Amino acid sequence: MSLTSDLMELREEDIRKHYDAAVGMLDGFDHTPRIAKGREMAAPERSSGLATRRRFRSTTPGLVTRSTARPEGVHLINRIEAADGEDPLVSPVQANVMSGLRRALAIALAVGENVSEASGLDDMKRDNLAGALGADRKAAFSELLTAEALVVAHVFANATAFLLAPYLGEVSVEVGEVEEVLTDNAQLALHGLLWELDQDIAALVTDEDRLVACVCAFAEQVMEKVTLRAQNAGGLGAFEGASWRVEADDLTLNGFTPARAGKGSTLTMSFKKPNEVVGNHIAKYQAMKLAKMLMAYDFDRRLNPFAEMGGFIFTFMGDGAPGTGKTTLIQMMAGLINDYCGVAGYPFRYQNFGIDNIDSYQGKSGQNAKAFVQNVLDPQVIGFGTIDDIDQIAGKRGDRQSSAGQQEVTAVFMEAFAGANTVVRGNCTFGMFSNYPENVDDALRQRAGARFLVDGPQTREDYIDILALLMGKNHDIPLGAHDLFEAQAIQKAVAKSFEAHGRPQEAGLMNVFDRVSGEVGELDTIAKLGTYLKGIQEADPRFTGRAIKNITDAVKVRAMDFELPDEWMENPELFLFQPYERKKDMIGALRVPITVEMVVQEINRYADSEFRYADKSDEVAIEDAVRDMRRMAEAKKRYLGGEG
């Protein structure tokens, strides 16, 4: 892999020189817990032979530290060796955990050394040791020590989770919140974390099947806690402004973003071919285009030309009545991406966030949502994340019927899909699907950059095609006078579907369209189109600037109104394996001009969906209000009757 200007190689010799220090920490050190309290141990607190291990006081170069409290010895090697009971030999699982922890500690120390040098902390440490650090530099010294501690703690956890991920099984372990996060200096930070890890292993690991799960769960919690601390810390520019590449481990460290092992998920779903999706012409066409767009992602640049040039769909909403084909559409799109990735040798990760991810434990639903988002965002894979029945999963803000877990999920998705820290690389897409999109929080729904109306079969030909498809071949019934699947010819069907949006389809929007057209004439200039948009906003105040952004993004997608040639997917050398700039040029050559018709159609498509949602939402609210009034009237009648 070639290194970009902000990606620096972490040399193997710079890592290995810290092996002795890493082994020393795993072998044994003294630590007096400051914040956390020891767990109730499921296993003996000390493994046999701990008393014979050497014990020593930790020191940090350039710092003077002293503790008069009683220390507790931490011997992680012994703790890990005791994870499988009485077996005197170290198992492969135990060896992998020890090796992974040693490697992660060494990587963390190496990155900390680089950051310390780049930030000027090294010079301050030397001056402090010599007693030459002026009072005017004390505050900066303390800030940089805290920054170094946060960096080393996060890198240690990040590398641990990454290196041990291949050994994870089906067992899961809940470790709870990490408490002993110390930021006085880097070494103390590592000692605090290793002390708490030792406590977790002792309390939660009853056999080696749980060992890797416990260590990885602990690492995930550390990353989350340290990342939150880092948001209010200074002196982190040297770390956040650069990335480090560990070639031997295929590991890239990008600030406080968790690194994920670049491996795909094993899919067990039943894939569908495009001709097995009947009707839904625009939704099917856009899903097919998006599947190919994802494949343009450049793993070296970590960017997709479509994301840079415009026209990439990062989030979309698929809505329609029950039974119209949303699940089939997901199966088709996942199948296409899976097949394309198989040809190119790219890792593909599909993940669905379902109702079973909502947890009654406070904060757990939000953690599940964050993990889902991070897994799909992983820049080392092609990702496709779906949220089925999002109206049941993400609650409306202020809705008393929504659980705390649903509210947590809404907050996570809103930040992930269009938050201040959202970065669209073009390696993944998120699809939200619902039978009742009017029940989705307005702000979350508007974070869907594209709308896929999943309306199922519509015409006589569609119904004949779907009947023939579902009947299969185990019958002798003749087809009759019909060209099978001719109506599903995608380009022809899509062109017809787009033309239908030259005029609005919802009654409320149609009134606005006719009124504005009557005032300004044909919508053929930017000024007239803007007048139409203002008219829509006056009719529906929820039609905000975000709606305009989503419309212009959809127009840019239409400018990319072409499918990448099938041969580019079948032979990766033609396109997928080309350099980034070459890919960009090849895509640019296919781009088509933006027309007034495109803009009008996309305004109507988007606004129709919002009016459709609003009408349904209003109708539901009216029905609820009427129901409440009837209940109150009946209650009053019974109350007065009882008094009489």
Side-chain angles (χ1 to χ4, degrees), residues 264-333:
S265 52
T266 302
L267 297 182
T268 56
M269 71 166 61
S270 174
F271 296 139
K272 301 293 184 183
K273 299 295 183 185
N275 68 317
E276 296 178 284
V277 180
V278 177
N280 300 323
H281 301 302
I282 292 180
K284 179 167 72 171
Y285 180 58
Q286 290 188 315
M288 292 169 65
K289 281 175 54 181
L290 182 53
K292 289 184 177 180
M293 278 185 182
L294 285 168
M295 298 306 297
Y297 177 70
D298 190 283
F299 282 87
D300 284 343
R301 288 285 294 272
R302 298 199 168 202
L303 186 62
N304 192 318
F306 284 104
E308 183 181 353
M309 299 167 69
F312 182 78
I313 300 172
F314 179 55
T315 53
F316 63 91
M317 170 76 78
D319 73 278
T324 49
K326 290 183 292 298
T327 301
T328 305
L329 193 71
I330 293 172
Q331 292 170 328
M332 181 203 79
M333 187 170 168

Side-chain angles (χ1 to χ4, degrees), residues 159-178:
T160 297
F162 182 89
L163 295 171
L164 296 184
Y167 307 109
L168 275 171
E170 298 300 320
V171 177
S172 62
V173 174
E174 293 287 341
V175 299
E177 183 182 1
V178 175

Side-chain angles (χ1 to χ4, degrees), residues 339-401:
D339 291 346
Y340 296 154
C341 286
V343 172
Y346 293 166
F348 171 47
R349 185 175 297 158
Y350 169 77
Q351 192 164 345
N352 181 64
F353 191 88
I355 193 67
D356 55 324
N357 293 109
I358 304 298
D359 201 290
S360 58
Y361 182 76
Q362 185 175 2
K364 183 60 178 174
S365 301
Q367 289 180 8
N368 291 342
K370 287 179 184 176
F372 161 74
V373 170
Q374 290 298 332
N375 283 337
V376 177
L377 284 175
D378 181 1
Q380 297 185 91
V381 303
I382 301 297
F384 179 29
T386 56
I387 310 159
D388 211 357
D389 294 323
I390 190 169
D391 53 285
Q392 298 182 40
I393 292 168
K396 276 188 175 182
R397 290 168 298 173
D399 183 1
R400 289 175 293 178
Q401 302 300 318

Side-chain angles (χ1 to χ4, degrees), residues 1 8 30 157 231 241 293 303 310 371 403 436 464 501 533 545 579 620:
M1 177 181 290
M8 299 183 294
D30 290 340
Q231 290 177 359
M293 278 185 182
L303 186 62
S403 69
Y436 306 101
I464 296 173
H501 289 285
L533 292 170
V620 168

Side-chain angles (χ1 to χ4, degrees), residues 60-122:
T60 304
L63 298 174
V64 180
T65 58
R66 180 173 63 184
S67 174
T68 58
R70 182 181 64 83
E72 296 183 16
V74 180
H75 301 270
L76 262 172
I77 290 178
N78 293 68
R79 186 72 75 191
I80 293 168
E81 287 175 350
D84 59 354
E86 301 301 323
D87 193 336
L89 296 180
V90 175
S91 71
V93 172
Q94 292 167 320
N96 286 330
V97 171
M98 292 180 197
S99 178
L101 288 172
R102 180 185 69 168
R103 181 76 174 172
L105 285 168
I107 291 172
L109 291 170
V111 172
E113 190 174 65
N114 283 5
V115 170
S116 180
E117 183 179 353
S119 66
L121 178 59
D122 267 356

Side-chain angles (χ1 to χ4, degrees), residues 207-224:
D207 56 64
E208 69 173 25
D209 288 341
R210 295 171 62 85
L211 179 60
V212 177
C214 177
V215 175
C216 288
F218 173 81
E220 294 288 343
Q221 290 297 317
V222 171
M223 282 191 281
E224 185 170 336

